[in-house]
Amino acid sequence: MNNHPRATAVQDFSNGTDVPVAVLVDCDNVPPEILPYALRMAAQFGRVALRRGYGNHATLANRWQEALVRLAFTPHLQYQYASGKNTADIALALDALEAMFDHRAETFCLVTSDSDFAYLCRKLRERGARVCIVGESKTPEALRNASDQFFEWSAAEPDPEANGDSAEKAPAKKEPAKRKSGKADTGKEPLKEANKDAAKESSKASKQRPRFVAEAVSLLASESSEGRVGLGPLGQYLKRTDPAFSPKTYGHSGLLDMVKTYDLLELYQEAGGNWSVGLADARGS
């Protein structure tokens, strides 16, 4: 009997904080603006250990060069040996299989909209690896269905990392209507409450609330049955997407202090004293 060796892969991906992830980009098929989004999607599965971009000389030497260098990707230049032949696709597929058999990656994030990679997805999954695809709306169904999870990127949506200091876009809260009265209100209690509210709002305004934190909670909490994510895993995810991330950069003493300033987020203290966070509107639903 012919026994084929199988690559050992992590089967439980529910808490794969240490699972090595490979992000392999078909630079000839997608724009460089997709990279930050692809890294955020890949980071939820584990530590991004491999970052590689594949393309021909015309692609890598022009619009892709700055993006690959800035986000620490290794460029893999593939010359075309004959007209109409895409050697970069072959190189990407071979490197993916090699990384799986060498146990350098157990989850693969392929950044492409090319349906030619559907067979590669199936072979990786047959060996126990997890495969996600990050592509554009033009991605064929054959490639979407060949992956474990598909993430659609749209160029129309602004990249949150392009403006990291922007505040979260929370829905405006309706202020209670004030009663009109001909007499002046001499009561001190309403004035004290107003001063407290004003001081609270002033303190909150002095601290920056980058939108990507709320988006990270939304992404991670959606995979939980309770609709929450622990502050520990949230911090690990934010560090994986940006190794330089620190709440102090945005004027906060820590991640807990930072999350408290978001109107869109709701904090929960577990029985053991640990904190978790979810979307505020998820509680009502």
Side-chain angles (χ1 to χ4, degrees), residues 79-146:
Y79 291 105
Q80 290 181 296
Y81 303 126
S83 178
K85 300 295 183 181
N86 194 342
T87 55
D89 289 1
I90 301 298
L92 189 157
L94 291 176
D95 283 359
L97 293 173
E98 183 181 61
M100 180 186 63
F101 285 117
D102 291 347
H103 312 302
R104 284 176 290 153
E106 296 167 350
T107 295
F108 293 83
C109 177
L110 305 184
V111 186
T112 182
S113 297
D114 190 349
S115 60
D116 289 346
F117 289 105
Y119 186 71
L120 171 63
C121 293
R122 294 198 298 269
K123 296 302 291 184
L124 290 172
R125 295 177 68 193
E126 286 175 4
R127 291 283 177 169
R130 183 172 194 160
V131 180
C132 70
I133 297 292
V134 176
E136 299 176 85
S137 58
K138 65 181 181 181
T139 305
E141 291 292 330
L143 182 59
R144 296 174 184 239
N145 295 331

Short mmCIF file of all heavy atoms in Angstrom, two decimals, residues 79-146:
data_model
loop_
_atom_site.label_atom_id
_atom_site.label_comp_id
_atom_site.label_asym_id
_atom_site.label_seq_id
_atom_site.Cartn_x
_atom_site.Cartn_y
_atom_site.Cartn_z
N TYR A 79 10.53 36.36 -13.87
CA TYR A 79 10.57 36.79 -15.27
C TYR A 79 9.68 35.87 -16.11
O TYR A 79 9.54 34.68 -15.81
CB TYR A 79 12.00 36.75 -15.81
CG TYR A 79 12.89 37.80 -15.20
CD1 TYR A 79 13.86 37.46 -14.26
CD2 TYR A 79 12.78 39.14 -15.58
CE1 TYR A 79 14.68 38.42 -13.69
CE2 TYR A 79 13.60 40.11 -15.02
CZ TYR A 79 14.54 39.74 -14.09
OH TYR A 79 15.35 40.70 -13.52
N GLN A 80 9.10 36.43 -17.14
CA GLN A 80 8.29 35.64 -18.07
C GLN A 80 9.20 35.03 -19.13
O GLN A 80 9.84 35.74 -19.90
CB GLN A 80 7.22 36.52 -18.72
CG GLN A 80 6.13 36.96 -17.77
CD GLN A 80 5.08 37.82 -18.45
OE1 GLN A 80 5.36 38.92 -18.91
NE2 GLN A 80 3.86 37.31 -18.53
N TYR A 81 9.26 33.70 -19.16
CA TYR A 81 10.13 33.01 -20.11
C TYR A 81 9.55 33.00 -21.51
O TYR A 81 10.26 32.85 -22.49
CB TYR A 81 10.39 31.58 -19.63
CG TYR A 81 10.99 31.53 -18.24
CD1 TYR A 81 10.41 30.76 -17.23
CD2 TYR A 81 12.13 32.26 -17.93
CE1 TYR A 81 10.96 30.71 -15.95
CE2 TYR A 81 12.68 32.21 -16.65
CZ TYR A 81 12.10 31.44 -15.68
OH TYR A 81 12.64 31.41 -14.43
N ALA A 82 8.24 33.14 -21.59
CA ALA A 82 7.58 33.19 -22.89
C ALA A 82 6.37 34.10 -22.77
O ALA A 82 5.78 34.25 -21.69
CB ALA A 82 7.15 31.79 -23.35
N SER A 83 5.98 34.71 -23.87
CA SER A 83 4.85 35.63 -23.87
C SER A 83 3.56 34.91 -23.49
O SER A 83 3.27 33.81 -23.99
CB SER A 83 4.70 36.27 -25.25
OG SER A 83 3.58 37.13 -25.28
N GLY A 84 2.81 35.52 -22.57
CA GLY A 84 1.53 34.94 -22.16
C GLY A 84 1.64 33.92 -21.05
O GLY A 84 0.62 33.39 -20.60
N LYS A 85 2.85 33.62 -20.59
CA LYS A 85 3.04 32.64 -19.52
C LYS A 85 3.28 33.37 -18.20
O LYS A 85 4.15 34.23 -18.11
CB LYS A 85 4.24 31.73 -19.83
CG LYS A 85 4.11 30.93 -21.12
CD LYS A 85 2.95 29.93 -21.03
CE LYS A 85 2.87 29.09 -22.32
NZ LYS A 85 1.74 28.14 -22.27
N ASN A 86 2.50 33.02 -17.19
CA ASN A 86 2.61 33.68 -15.90
C ASN A 86 3.38 32.77 -14.94
O ASN A 86 2.79 31.91 -14.28
CB ASN A 86 1.22 34.00 -15.35
CG ASN A 86 1.30 34.98 -14.19
OD1 ASN A 86 2.34 35.17 -13.59
ND2 ASN A 86 0.17 35.60 -13.88
N THR A 87 4.67 32.96 -14.86
CA THR A 87 5.49 32.13 -13.99
C THR A 87 5.30 32.49 -12.52
O THR A 87 5.62 31.69 -11.64
CB THR A 87 6.97 32.28 -14.36
OG1 THR A 87 7.32 33.67 -14.31
CG2 THR A 87 7.24 31.75 -15.76
N ALA A 88 4.80 33.68 -12.23
CA ALA A 88 4.60 34.09 -10.83
C ALA A 88 3.56 33.21 -10.15
O ALA A 88 3.69 32.88 -8.97
CB ALA A 88 4.18 35.55 -10.77
N ASP A 89 2.51 32.83 -10.87
CA ASP A 89 1.48 31.95 -10.29
C ASP A 89 2.06 30.60 -9.90
O ASP A 89 1.74 30.05 -8.85
CB ASP A 89 0.34 31.76 -11.29
CG ASP A 89 -0.50 33.02 -11.46
OD1 ASP A 89 -0.17 34.03 -10.81
OD2 ASP A 89 -1.46 32.99 -12.25
N ILE A 90 2.92 30.05 -10.76
CA ILE A 90 3.54 28.75 -10.48
C ILE A 90 4.43 28.86 -9.25
O ILE A 90 4.43 27.99 -8.37
CB ILE A 90 4.35 28.27 -11.69
CG1 ILE A 90 3.45 28.14 -12.92
CG2 ILE A 90 5.01 26.93 -11.38
CD1 ILE A 90 2.34 27.13 -12.78
N ALA A 91 5.20 29.95 -9.16
CA ALA A 91 6.10 30.14 -8.02
C ALA A 91 5.30 30.25 -6.73
O ALA A 91 5.69 29.69 -5.69
CB ALA A 91 6.95 31.39 -8.23
N LEU A 92 4.20 30.97 -6.75
CA LEU A 92 3.37 31.12 -5.55
C LEU A 92 2.82 29.77 -5.11
O LEU A 92 2.86 29.43 -3.91
CB LEU A 92 2.22 32.10 -5.83
CG LEU A 92 1.37 32.56 -4.65
CD1 LEU A 92 0.69 33.90 -4.97
CD2 LEU A 92 0.30 31.54 -4.25
N ALA A 93 2.32 28.99 -6.04
CA ALA A 93 1.75 27.69 -5.70
C ALA A 93 2.80 26.75 -5.12
O ALA A 93 2.56 26.06 -4.11
CB ALA A 93 1.10 27.08 -6.93
N LEU A 94 3.99 26.71 -5.73
CA LEU A 94 5.05 25.82 -5.25
C LEU A 94 5.54 26.24 -3.87
O LEU A 94 5.79 25.40 -3.00
CB LEU A 94 6.21 25.80 -6.24
CG LEU A 94 5.93 25.11 -7.58
CD1 LEU A 94 7.13 25.25 -8.51
CD2 LEU A 94 5.59 23.64 -7.38
N ASP A 95 5.68 27.56 -3.65
CA ASP A 95 6.13 28.03 -2.34
C ASP A 95 5.09 27.74 -1.26
O ASP A 95 5.44 27.48 -0.11
CB ASP A 95 6.40 29.53 -2.40
CG ASP A 95 7.72 29.85 -3.09
OD1 ASP A 95 8.42 28.90 -3.49
OD2 ASP A 95 8.03 31.05 -3.25
N ALA A 96 3.81 27.80 -1.61
CA ALA A 96 2.76 27.48 -0.64
C ALA A 96 2.84 26.03 -0.20
O ALA A 96 2.77 25.71 1.00
CB ALA A 96 1.39 27.79 -1.23
N LEU A 97 2.99 25.13 -1.15
CA LEU A 97 3.10 23.70 -0.82
C LEU A 97 4.37 23.42 -0.02
O LEU A 97 4.36 22.63 0.93
CB LEU A 97 3.08 22.88 -2.11
CG LEU A 97 1.75 22.88 -2.88
CD1 LEU A 97 1.92 22.18 -4.23
CD2 LEU A 97 0.65 22.22 -2.06
N GLU A 98 5.46 24.08 -0.41
CA GLU A 98 6.72 23.89 0.31
C GLU A 98 6.60 24.37 1.75
O GLU A 98 7.07 23.71 2.68
CB GLU A 98 7.84 24.64 -0.41
CG GLU A 98 9.21 24.44 0.22
CD GLU A 98 10.28 25.23 -0.51
OE1 GLU A 98 10.17 26.47 -0.55
OE2 GLU A 98 11.23 24.60 -1.03
N ALA A 99 5.96 25.52 1.96
CA ALA A 99 5.78 26.05 3.31
C ALA A 99 4.92 25.13 4.16
O ALA A 99 5.14 25.00 5.38
CB ALA A 99 5.17 27.44 3.25
N MET A 100 3.93 24.49 3.55
CA MET A 100 3.07 23.57 4.30
C MET A 100 3.85 22.32 4.71
O MET A 100 3.80 21.89 5.87
CB MET A 100 1.86 23.17 3.46
CG MET A 100 0.92 22.21 4.17
SD MET A 100 -0.41 21.61 3.10
CE MET A 100 0.54 20.71 1.86
N PHE A 101 4.60 21.71 3.77
CA PHE A 101 5.34 20.49 4.09
C PHE A 101 6.50 20.75 5.03
O PHE A 101 6.90 19.85 5.78
CB PHE A 101 5.84 19.84 2.79
CG PHE A 101 4.76 19.14 2.02
CD1 PHE A 101 4.41 19.56 0.75
CD2 PHE A 101 4.07 18.06 2.57
CE1 PHE A 101 3.41 18.93 0.03
CE2 PHE A 101 3.07 17.42 1.86
CZ PHE A 101 2.73 17.85 0.59
N ASP A 102 7.05 21.96 5.01
CA ASP A 102 8.13 22.31 5.93
C ASP A 102 7.60 22.80 7.28
O ASP A 102 8.39 23.17 8.15
CB ASP A 102 9.02 23.42 5.33
CG ASP A 102 9.82 22.92 4.15
OD1 ASP A 102 9.89 21.69 3.95
OD2 ASP A 102 10.38 23.75 3.40
N HIS A 103 6.27 22.84 7.44
CA HIS A 103 5.62 23.26 8.68
C HIS A 103 5.94 24.71 9.03
O HIS A 103 5.90 25.10 10.20
CB HIS A 103 6.02 22.36 9.85
CG HIS A 103 5.93 20.91 9.54
ND1 HIS A 103 4.76 20.30 9.12
CD2 HIS A 103 6.88 19.92 9.56
CE1 HIS A 103 4.99 19.01 8.91
NE2 HIS A 103 6.26 18.76 9.16
N ARG A 104 6.21 25.53 8.04
CA ARG A 104 6.43 26.95 8.29
C ARG A 104 5.12 27.73 8.31
O ARG A 104 5.08 28.86 8.80
CB ARG A 104 7.36 27.54 7.21
CG ARG A 104 8.82 27.18 7.40
CD ARG A 104 9.66 27.72 6.25
NE ARG A 104 9.37 27.01 5.02
CZ ARG A 104 9.52 27.54 3.81
NH1 ARG A 104 9.94 28.78 3.68
NH2 ARG A 104 9.26 26.83 2.73
N ALA A 105 4.08 27.14 7.79
CA ALA A 105 2.75 27.77 7.81
C ALA A 105 1.69 26.70 7.86
O ALA A 105 1.84 25.63 7.27
CB ALA A 105 2.55 28.65 6.57
N GLU A 106 0.62 26.98 8.61
CA GLU A 106 -0.49 26.05 8.74
C GLU A 106 -1.80 26.69 8.30
O GLU A 106 -2.80 26.00 8.14
CB GLU A 106 -0.58 25.54 10.18
CG GLU A 106 0.65 24.74 10.58
CD GLU A 106 0.74 24.49 12.08
OE1 GLU A 106 -0.06 25.10 12.83
OE2 GLU A 106 1.59 23.71 12.50
N THR A 107 -1.79 28.00 8.17
CA THR A 107 -2.92 28.73 7.61
C THR A 107 -2.39 29.60 6.48
O THR A 107 -1.35 30.24 6.63
CB THR A 107 -3.60 29.62 8.68
OG1 THR A 107 -4.17 28.78 9.69
CG2 THR A 107 -4.70 30.46 8.07
N PHE A 108 -3.12 29.61 5.37
CA PHE A 108 -2.66 30.33 4.19
C PHE A 108 -3.70 31.37 3.80
O PHE A 108 -4.89 31.06 3.68
CB PHE A 108 -2.42 29.36 3.02
CG PHE A 108 -1.27 28.43 3.26
CD1 PHE A 108 -1.44 27.26 3.98
CD2 PHE A 108 -0.01 28.71 2.76
CE1 PHE A 108 -0.38 26.40 4.22
CE2 PHE A 108 1.06 27.86 2.98
CZ PHE A 108 0.88 26.70 3.71
N CYS A 109 -3.23 32.59 3.60
CA CYS A 109 -4.07 33.67 3.11
C CYS A 109 -3.57 34.05 1.72
O CYS A 109 -2.49 34.64 1.57
CB CYS A 109 -4.00 34.86 4.05
SG CYS A 109 -4.95 36.30 3.49
N LEU A 110 -4.33 33.67 0.70
CA LEU A 110 -3.96 33.97 -0.68
C LEU A 110 -4.68 35.25 -1.11
O LEU A 110 -5.90 35.33 -1.05
CB LEU A 110 -4.35 32.81 -1.60
CG LEU A 110 -3.80 31.43 -1.23
CD1 LEU A 110 -4.19 30.40 -2.30
CD2 LEU A 110 -2.30 31.46 -1.03
N VAL A 111 -3.90 36.22 -1.52
CA VAL A 111 -4.47 37.52 -1.91
C VAL A 111 -4.52 37.56 -3.43
O VAL A 111 -3.52 37.86 -4.10
CB VAL A 111 -3.62 38.68 -1.35
CG1 VAL A 111 -4.30 40.02 -1.64
CG2 VAL A 111 -3.39 38.50 0.14
N THR A 112 -5.67 37.23 -3.97
CA THR A 112 -5.84 37.13 -5.41
C THR A 112 -7.31 37.01 -5.76
O THR A 112 -8.13 36.63 -4.91
CB THR A 112 -5.08 35.92 -5.97
OG1 THR A 112 -5.22 35.86 -7.39
CG2 THR A 112 -5.61 34.63 -5.38
N SER A 113 -7.63 37.32 -7.01
CA SER A 113 -8.97 37.08 -7.54
C SER A 113 -8.93 36.13 -8.72
O SER A 113 -9.90 36.01 -9.46
CB SER A 113 -9.61 38.42 -7.97
OG SER A 113 -9.78 39.28 -6.87
N ASP A 114 -7.80 35.46 -8.88
CA ASP A 114 -7.56 34.55 -10.01
C ASP A 114 -8.07 33.15 -9.68
O ASP A 114 -7.58 32.51 -8.75
CB ASP A 114 -6.07 34.52 -10.33
CG ASP A 114 -5.77 33.80 -11.64
OD1 ASP A 114 -6.67 33.14 -12.18
OD2 ASP A 114 -4.61 33.89 -12.11
N SER A 115 -9.02 32.66 -10.44
CA SER A 115 -9.61 31.34 -10.18
C SER A 115 -8.63 30.20 -10.45
O SER A 115 -8.90 29.05 -10.08
CB SER A 115 -10.86 31.14 -11.03
OG SER A 115 -10.55 31.23 -12.42
N ASP A 116 -7.48 30.49 -11.07
CA ASP A 116 -6.49 29.44 -11.30
C ASP A 116 -5.96 28.87 -9.99
O ASP A 116 -5.42 27.76 -9.97
CB ASP A 116 -5.31 29.98 -12.13
CG ASP A 116 -5.69 30.25 -13.57
OD1 ASP A 116 -6.77 29.77 -14.00
OD2 ASP A 116 -4.94 30.94 -14.28
N PHE A 117 -6.11 29.61 -8.90
CA PHE A 117 -5.61 29.13 -7.61
C PHE A 117 -6.62 28.26 -6.87
O PHE A 117 -6.36 27.85 -5.74
CB PHE A 117 -5.22 30.32 -6.73
CG PHE A 117 -3.98 31.04 -7.18
CD1 PHE A 117 -4.07 32.26 -7.83
CD2 PHE A 117 -2.72 30.48 -6.98
CE1 PHE A 117 -2.93 32.92 -8.25
CE2 PHE A 117 -1.58 31.13 -7.40
CZ PHE A 117 -1.68 32.36 -8.04
N ALA A 118 -7.75 27.98 -7.46
CA ALA A 118 -8.76 27.15 -6.80
C ALA A 118 -8.23 25.75 -6.52
O ALA A 118 -8.49 25.17 -5.45
CB ALA A 118 -10.03 27.08 -7.66
N TYR A 119 -7.47 25.19 -7.45
CA TYR A 119 -6.93 23.84 -7.25
C TYR A 119 -5.90 23.84 -6.13
O TYR A 119 -5.85 22.90 -5.31
CB TYR A 119 -6.30 23.32 -8.54
CG TYR A 119 -5.86 21.87 -8.45
CD1 TYR A 119 -6.80 20.85 -8.38
CD2 TYR A 119 -4.50 21.53 -8.40
CE1 TYR A 119 -6.40 19.52 -8.28
CE2 TYR A 119 -4.10 20.22 -8.31
CZ TYR A 119 -5.05 19.21 -8.25
OH TYR A 119 -4.66 17.90 -8.14
N LEU A 120 -5.08 24.88 -6.04
CA LEU A 120 -4.11 24.99 -4.94
C LEU A 120 -4.84 25.03 -3.61
O LEU A 120 -4.42 24.38 -2.64
CB LEU A 120 -3.26 26.24 -5.12
CG LEU A 120 -2.35 26.60 -3.95
CD1 LEU A 120 -1.31 25.50 -3.72
CD2 LEU A 120 -1.66 27.94 -4.18
N CYS A 121 -5.93 25.78 -3.54
CA CYS A 121 -6.72 25.84 -2.30
C CYS A 121 -7.21 24.46 -1.90
O CYS A 121 -7.14 24.07 -0.72
CB CYS A 121 -7.91 26.79 -2.48
SG CYS A 121 -7.47 28.52 -2.68
N ARG A 122 -7.71 23.72 -2.86
CA ARG A 122 -8.24 22.38 -2.54
C ARG A 122 -7.14 21.46 -2.05
O ARG A 122 -7.33 20.68 -1.11
CB ARG A 122 -8.94 21.81 -3.77
CG ARG A 122 -10.20 22.57 -4.17
CD ARG A 122 -11.08 21.74 -5.08
NE ARG A 122 -10.42 21.39 -6.33
CZ ARG A 122 -10.48 22.13 -7.44
NH1 ARG A 122 -11.16 23.27 -7.44
NH2 ARG A 122 -9.88 21.74 -8.54
N LYS A 123 -5.96 21.52 -2.66
CA LYS A 123 -4.86 20.64 -2.25
C LYS A 123 -4.36 21.01 -0.86
O LYS A 123 -4.06 20.11 -0.04
CB LYS A 123 -3.71 20.74 -3.25
CG LYS A 123 -4.04 20.25 -4.65
CD LYS A 123 -4.49 18.80 -4.64
CE LYS A 123 -3.39 17.83 -4.30
NZ LYS A 123 -3.84 16.41 -4.39
N LEU A 124 -4.29 22.28 -0.54
CA LEU A 124 -3.86 22.70 0.80
C LEU A 124 -4.85 22.23 1.85
O LEU A 124 -4.47 21.75 2.93
CB LEU A 124 -3.71 24.22 0.85
CG LEU A 124 -2.54 24.83 0.06
CD1 LEU A 124 -2.65 26.35 0.04
CD2 LEU A 124 -1.20 24.41 0.65
N ARG A 125 -6.13 22.36 1.56
CA ARG A 125 -7.16 21.96 2.52
C ARG A 125 -7.21 20.44 2.69
O ARG A 125 -7.47 19.95 3.79
CB ARG A 125 -8.52 22.49 2.07
CG ARG A 125 -8.61 24.02 2.08
CD ARG A 125 -9.95 24.49 1.55
NE ARG A 125 -11.03 24.15 2.44
CZ ARG A 125 -12.32 24.23 2.11
NH1 ARG A 125 -12.66 24.63 0.89
NH2 ARG A 125 -13.25 23.92 2.98
N GLU A 126 -6.93 19.70 1.62
CA GLU A 126 -6.90 18.23 1.72
C GLU A 126 -5.81 17.77 2.69
O GLU A 126 -5.94 16.72 3.32
CB GLU A 126 -6.65 17.63 0.34
CG GLU A 126 -7.86 17.68 -0.59
CD GLU A 126 -7.53 17.17 -1.97
OE1 GLU A 126 -6.38 16.71 -2.18
OE2 GLU A 126 -8.40 17.25 -2.86
N ARG A 127 -4.75 18.56 2.80
CA ARG A 127 -3.64 18.22 3.69
C ARG A 127 -3.85 18.75 5.10
O ARG A 127 -2.97 18.62 5.96
CB ARG A 127 -2.34 18.77 3.12
CG ARG A 127 -1.89 18.06 1.85
CD ARG A 127 -1.26 16.73 2.19
NE ARG A 127 -0.87 15.98 1.00
CZ ARG A 127 -0.12 14.89 1.02
NH1 ARG A 127 0.30 14.41 2.19
NH2 ARG A 127 0.18 14.25 -0.07
N GLY A 128 -4.98 19.36 5.37
CA GLY A 128 -5.29 19.82 6.73
C GLY A 128 -5.05 21.28 6.98
O GLY A 128 -5.28 21.76 8.09
N ALA A 129 -4.57 22.03 5.99
CA ALA A 129 -4.32 23.45 6.18
C ALA A 129 -5.61 24.24 6.05
O ALA A 129 -6.56 23.80 5.40
CB ALA A 129 -3.29 23.95 5.17
N ARG A 130 -5.61 25.40 6.63
CA ARG A 130 -6.74 26.31 6.48
C ARG A 130 -6.38 27.35 5.42
O ARG A 130 -5.25 27.85 5.40
CB ARG A 130 -7.06 27.02 7.79
CG ARG A 130 -8.27 27.93 7.72
CD ARG A 130 -8.65 28.46 9.08
NE ARG A 130 -9.97 29.06 9.09
CZ ARG A 130 -10.69 29.26 10.18
NH1 ARG A 130 -10.23 28.89 11.35
NH2 ARG A 130 -11.89 29.81 10.11
N VAL A 131 -7.36 27.69 4.57
CA VAL A 131 -7.10 28.61 3.46
C VAL A 131 -8.17 29.70 3.44
O VAL A 131 -9.37 29.40 3.46
CB VAL A 131 -7.10 27.88 2.11
CG1 VAL A 131 -6.83 28.87 0.98
CG2 VAL A 131 -6.05 26.77 2.10
N CYS A 132 -7.72 30.95 3.42
CA CYS A 132 -8.66 32.05 3.21
C CYS A 132 -8.20 32.84 1.99
O CYS A 132 -7.01 32.87 1.67
CB CYS A 132 -8.74 32.95 4.45
SG CYS A 132 -7.27 33.94 4.79
N ILE A 133 -9.15 33.43 1.33
CA ILE A 133 -8.89 34.22 0.13
C ILE A 133 -9.28 35.67 0.40
O ILE A 133 -10.36 35.94 0.94
CB ILE A 133 -9.68 33.69 -1.08
CG1 ILE A 133 -9.25 32.26 -1.43
CG2 ILE A 133 -9.50 34.61 -2.29
CD1 ILE A 133 -7.85 32.15 -1.95
N VAL A 134 -8.41 36.59 0.05
CA VAL A 134 -8.74 38.01 0.07
C VAL A 134 -8.71 38.49 -1.37
O VAL A 134 -7.67 38.44 -2.03
CB VAL A 134 -7.73 38.82 0.91
CG1 VAL A 134 -8.06 40.31 0.83
CG2 VAL A 134 -7.75 38.35 2.35
N GLY A 135 -9.86 38.89 -1.88
CA GLY A 135 -9.94 39.29 -3.27
C GLY A 135 -10.96 40.39 -3.48
O GLY A 135 -11.61 40.86 -2.54
N GLU A 136 -11.11 40.78 -4.72
CA GLU A 136 -12.05 41.83 -5.08
C GLU A 136 -13.41 41.22 -5.43
O GLU A 136 -13.57 39.99 -5.45
CB GLU A 136 -11.50 42.64 -6.25
CG GLU A 136 -10.17 43.32 -5.94
CD GLU A 136 -9.58 44.04 -7.13
OE1 GLU A 136 -9.94 45.21 -7.37
OE2 GLU A 136 -8.75 43.43 -7.84
N SER A 137 -14.36 42.07 -5.73
CA SER A 137 -15.71 41.60 -6.05
C SER A 137 -15.74 40.75 -7.31
O SER A 137 -16.67 39.97 -7.51
CB SER A 137 -16.66 42.79 -6.21
OG SER A 137 -16.20 43.67 -7.23
N LYS A 138 -14.73 40.89 -8.16
CA LYS A 138 -14.67 40.13 -9.40
C LYS A 138 -14.25 38.67 -9.18
O LYS A 138 -14.26 37.88 -10.13
CB LYS A 138 -13.68 40.78 -10.36
CG LYS A 138 -12.23 40.75 -9.87
CD LYS A 138 -11.29 41.42 -10.85
CE LYS A 138 -9.84 41.36 -10.34
NZ LYS A 138 -8.89 42.02 -11.27
N THR A 139 -13.90 38.29 -7.95
CA THR A 139 -13.43 36.94 -7.67
C THR A 139 -14.49 35.91 -8.04
O THR A 139 -15.62 35.97 -7.55
CB THR A 139 -13.09 36.78 -6.18
OG1 THR A 139 -12.15 37.80 -5.81
CG2 THR A 139 -12.49 35.40 -5.90
N PRO A 140 -14.16 34.94 -8.91
CA PRO A 140 -15.14 33.93 -9.34
C PRO A 140 -15.59 33.03 -8.19
O PRO A 140 -14.88 32.85 -7.20
CB PRO A 140 -14.39 33.13 -10.41
CG PRO A 140 -13.24 33.99 -10.82
CD PRO A 140 -12.87 34.79 -9.59
N GLU A 141 -16.77 32.46 -8.35
CA GLU A 141 -17.32 31.56 -7.33
C GLU A 141 -16.42 30.34 -7.14
O GLU A 141 -16.33 29.80 -6.04
CB GLU A 141 -18.73 31.11 -7.73
CG GLU A 141 -19.78 32.21 -7.67
CD GLU A 141 -20.06 32.65 -6.25
OE1 GLU A 141 -19.93 31.81 -5.33
OE2 GLU A 141 -20.40 33.83 -6.05
N ALA A 142 -15.76 29.89 -8.19
CA ALA A 142 -14.91 28.71 -8.10
C ALA A 142 -13.80 28.92 -7.08
O ALA A 142 -13.42 27.98 -6.35
CB ALA A 142 -14.31 28.39 -9.47
N LEU A 143 -13.25 30.12 -7.01
CA LEU A 143 -12.18 30.39 -6.04
C LEU A 143 -12.76 30.65 -4.66
O LEU A 143 -12.19 30.18 -3.65
CB LEU A 143 -11.37 31.60 -6.50
CG LEU A 143 -10.19 31.99 -5.61
CD1 LEU A 143 -9.20 30.84 -5.48
CD2 LEU A 143 -9.48 33.23 -6.15
N ARG A 144 -13.86 31.36 -4.58
CA ARG A 144 -14.49 31.62 -3.28
C ARG A 144 -14.84 30.32 -2.57
O ARG A 144 -14.57 30.14 -1.38
CB ARG A 144 -15.75 32.47 -3.45
CG ARG A 144 -15.52 33.87 -4.02
CD ARG A 144 -16.85 34.57 -4.28
NE ARG A 144 -16.70 35.86 -4.92
CZ ARG A 144 -17.13 37.02 -4.41
NH1 ARG A 144 -17.76 37.02 -3.25
NH2 ARG A 144 -16.96 38.14 -5.06
N ASN A 145 -15.45 29.40 -3.30
CA ASN A 145 -15.92 28.14 -2.70
C ASN A 145 -14.79 27.16 -2.43
O ASN A 145 -14.99 26.19 -1.70
CB ASN A 145 -16.95 27.49 -3.62
CG ASN A 145 -18.21 28.32 -3.75
OD1 ASN A 145 -18.57 29.06 -2.84
ND2 ASN A 145 -18.87 28.21 -4.89
N ALA A 146 -13.61 27.39 -3.00
CA ALA A 146 -12.49 26.50 -2.75
C ALA A 146 -11.77 26.83 -1.45
O ALA A 146 -10.91 26.07 -1.01
CB ALA A 146 -11.49 26.58 -3.92
#
